[in-house]
Amino acid sequence: MKLSGQRLSPGHRGGRKAMSSENSNDSTLRSASSVFRLVLHSFLCIVSLLLGFRLSRESVMVAVNMRHSMNRLDAGSMPAVQSEFPVSLLLNANSSLPIENNHTLMKLEQEELLPELDPLKQSVIQDEKSSRVSVGRHQILIRDWPYPDPIDVMKAHMIIARVQQEQRRLYGQVERRQPLLVITPTHRRAFQRLHLSSLKNTLMLVHGQLTWIIIEAGGRSRETAAIVSNSGFTVCHLHLTQPMPTAWSKRPHMEALLRLRGLRFIREKKLEGVVVFADESNSHRLELFDEVQRVQWFGALSIGLLMPPKRYEMGKSPLRWNDLDFMAGPPPFRPLQGPSCSENGYLVGWYYEYGRVAPKDNGSRTSAGFEWAGFVFNSAVLYDSVNRPSWIRDWDEWAREDDDMRSPTIMVSDERFIEPLGDCGRDVLVWWARSEARSDGKYPEGWVLSQPLEVVVPAKRTPWPDPPPPAAPPPPAAVTASTDQEPHEKKRQGKRRNQGKKNAKKQNP
Amino acid sequence: MDVKGSRSVSIKRTGDRTASGISQYAAKEEREDLFPHSVEIFQIMGFRFTSRRGMLLCLLIGLLIASLSNVDSAGLAEELHERISGTAGDVLEDDPVGRLKVYVYDLPAKYNADMIDKDPRCLNHMFATEIFLHRFLLESPVRTLDSDEADWFYVPVYTTCDLTANGLPLPFKSPRMMRSALQYISRTWPYWNRTEGADHFLTVPHDFGACFHYQEEQAIKRGILHLLSKATLVQTFGQRFHVCLKEGSIVVPPYAPPSRMQSRFIPPSIPRSIFVYFRGLFYDPGNDPEGGYYSRGARAAVWENFKNNILFDISAEHPGTYYEDMQRSIFCLCPLGWAPWSPRLVEGVQFGCIPVIIADDIVLPFADAIPWEKIGVFVNEKDVPNLDKILTSIPIEQILEKQRLLASPAMKQAMLFPQPAEPGDAFHQILNGLARKLPHNISIYQGTSEPTLNWTAGPPGDLLLWVGDKES
């Protein structure tokens, strides 16, 4: 009879009895030992049903392990899954050790249906390794601490990075990257550290060669130098002695002068590459730096504008155009500036906060009010007069400091030749934002505090001992009763309102 | 107890997924429930080296597979892929046409075509190799209609087409069917008796090849069908020192429809971000719930050791993005299941994921034409707990080298069975393997006075007559 829990007989499946007749084991009642075995087996099966796992198998393994713990067991022998006589000697194929020598096999007490295994037949091959593989139950090997080792994780990440680099090299990388010339005007102020250090971190992630040209208003300062140092790429720190004006409306002109100073530097040094205007308060996507590689001479891309629309309605934005008519009512606000294309992908106009505008036929600059950040060009247009296309003007023509040039399209004589980048302006790759501290704001100088901060809210539990309470003579006993109430009441009230502060006040006289 | 059976049925139903490797294991658990195991001892027979050439071949296979040595590449750092050449040389792209002639026996339809008519599911499961090889040979230029000039004879018997209700082949009638076919051949043509089948080849794609059983102990006990002891077998099972792999067999990959894989490619520039990937069963709940039998405990060891490891993306789930995820992985585990082979190897090669083969003594397809130890990583089953250390300590140059080899289109093509056949595919590799075995040893033609093949050998059940499946 088959009582083993799981491998029950077959009948529900398709009724193929051909093999079952060969394999069925009749219950043998030939000897008392077999009766005993049967009884024990049925007992163990019932117990295993109760306990929920196959006790018979486990007890067999324990018994065999204890009995044959010294031998190197092998190969080949563990009988198949169903065991009718678990208590009989079974070979435990518990080892998945590589076994290369001849082993001794234990003979099993089995029914006469089963042939006996001749141990000597196994050692047929003397000169080669015999099979390390045995059929039967194997141990599931679990190491002591089945968790990742941080060094292995680090090595794996290095492998992944190297594989991805190879993939980029083989399949996806931009063929040749032009070096980038990033121009950033700045000046020393409270929020400079905030903006400039985040821009530096962005630029550190850019692939390829990069030169960062920083032009500072009001002379070179230690603070700026400290922020931009240790970046890993070339930094050129230029300056103009004229300070940045405090009035908001005058700042764009000053910034344009700073950028012009940077462009003059590029022209003098004849630096090669793509000129990108990265204002320090802008947010850039890394795809921007891949996209600008595609520019041939002069390109334009879309920028998003992060600014409140209220300023527009009130007419206070620095991006106001002079020729906009307010009488027609507040226009719809779309916070974008960029090129606008036809279906063929050619530039047909501009898209700004209030809609589209087509280039005028007389060639006047319709994009005059656009931000510098939305334009990139090849640095050769500044100094290479031979190869430069005819629609780009010469440096001496347009680079005049007294002119009110508000966007780099001043150097272009015909706007229609400008190349639209970023999927023809549909991809916004950079966002323009201006957040500055008020001039009367109490920001620490360079965000470095000279004295340690005072305790406002003490931590609940600190690992350090509390400072001793201030030494005070103990009041006379008669008075303590009443005076003790008040601090407690005050403390209780304090707990309701503002526990921390009152405690602090108590502790710090 | 029927509860257990029905539970395994439900598991099998959920196990029917697109990934054929997983369905194989679900299939296994389904079949195991049919027949109770019995207490048996098997005999492990040693390898019989009947010829020096066979011994040399096996030594080469052994050296090839047993060593995990570092192999430096020739420094072809700038190429996208490298040429694959195994121990037999640069033979992956050989053209077998003109190098051999194959005569295909015209057996009655009950041995082949009727089996398909009875159950057309045979055309889609992973044992369909036999059907498609027959069809390929019928149309191939190597086929000759003149049996006197043929070098090789093909016996088209579809032994794995007897399917259960769930689509799993039952091998119990296969020995009888094979014997019946061979008796027919020996009566009708003189070529079988001339060499006792030494210049014949057939396909036995089942789990343990010509041992015709799905349980390993039973298969070992049966051994290879005695009548086939001289013929060349084309099979998927390959394990050294195993009864069911005889020397001179051609190991082929399991059948997987190429269109299913080739329709799911993603651009190669998408970065590979998964370190190790595996989807499939770790425990076989229907047949081996506690573990230890299924995959010799190796899959369970992988799960227990690495389920908490972020580098290992392993689970028993069945995602719809299985093929896409393989293309985003660097290593794909190919552990053994109930049998050492699996379609994961084919899928890994298609998708450029380095196969990590965890199966002791396995013989991989076309081992003489493809240098597998240069392409995959072999891990002993006892070393599975240290799998993360092993994989992270492979030098990065080797990993890149393996990826370059895997990118070779000849490599990918050699693992597939496309219809219609294309140059360099697995059909042609089989023919190349047969061509490399030519010319036949002259001794096979010397008829012996008493034939050594015993037509009455084998278990008594095999001797029953097989008249074809009349029941539909």
Side-chain angles (χ1 to χ4, degrees), chain B residues 428-449:
Chain B
H428 291 85
Q429 303 303 328
I430 295 173
L431 291 179
N432 283 335
L434 290 169
R436 286 196 287 273
K437 296 180 82 176
L438 289 177
H440 291 296
N441 198 337
I442 200 69
S443 63
I444 65 173
Y445 294 108
Q446 296 155 0
T448 53
S449 50

Side-chain angles (χ1 to χ4, degrees), chain A residues 7-8 13 114 129 138 143, chain B residues 1 9 34 39 287 292 385:
Chain A
R7 270 213 216 314
L8 194 58
R13 225 2 98 181
L114 312 162
K129 280 192 260 186
H138 286 75
R143 64 187 193 199
Chain B
M1 305 312 175
V9 169
L34 278 181
V39 188
N287 302 304

Side-chain angles (χ1 to χ4, degrees), chain A residues 8 12 27 154 167 180 200 228 241 249 376 417 480 497:
Chain A
L8 194 58
H12 61 277
S27 54
M154 183 188 72
Q167 272 185 282
L180 295 177
K200 174 182 125 183
V228 302
T241 48
S249 55
V376 294
F417 287 97
T480 44
R497 272 187 248 133

